[in-house]
Amino acid sequence: MTAKVTLSFSDDTIEEARRFAKREGLSLSAWMDQAAREKALREVFAAHAAVVNRAGAALEAAALADAREVGMVDDLLSGGRPRAA
């Protein structure tokens, strides 16, 4: 499922995005979707790293096993679509 949205970007930003999309053989929409998804994943992993750092390395395995976190990362990686088994 996709949603159509109207966004505004600076001229420099949109030109760079078009250049990167062309270089990667993607449409601008596909490239922006991928860039947004990657940014969201970086935020999730940065938040996870902050928790691990605060809790200490000994708790990392327990944090990684958290079913909600794993599910959230899976959802982000699959773009919200069910992943193949």
Side-chain angles (χ1 to χ4, degrees):
M1 176 180 239
T2 60
K4 296 230 179 235
V5 297
T6 301
L7 302 170
S8 298
F9 298 96
S10 71
D11 291 339
D12 291 341
T13 299
I14 201 66
E15 285 308 313
E16 286 181 29
R18 284 184 175 126
R19 218 174 9 260
F20 284 121
K22 184 177 180 180
R23 184 181 73 189
E24 294 180 25
L26 296 171
S27 68
L28 180 59
S29 290
W31 190 87
M32 295 297 269
D33 180 68
Q34 180 179 321
R37 192 172 319 123
E38 288 173 2
K39 172 67 172 166
L41 284 173
R42 282 192 303 274
E43 294 288 331
V44 168
F45 289 124
H48 171 74
V51 168
V52 169
N53 285 336
R54 282 193 307 271
L59 298 176
E60 183 173 7
L64 288 172
D66 185 291
R68 287 186 304 158
E69 183 174 8
V70 171
M72 183 172 55
V73 170
D74 282 348
D75 287 346
L76 287 169
L77 288 171
S78 67
R81 295 178 302 277
R83 299 191 78 180

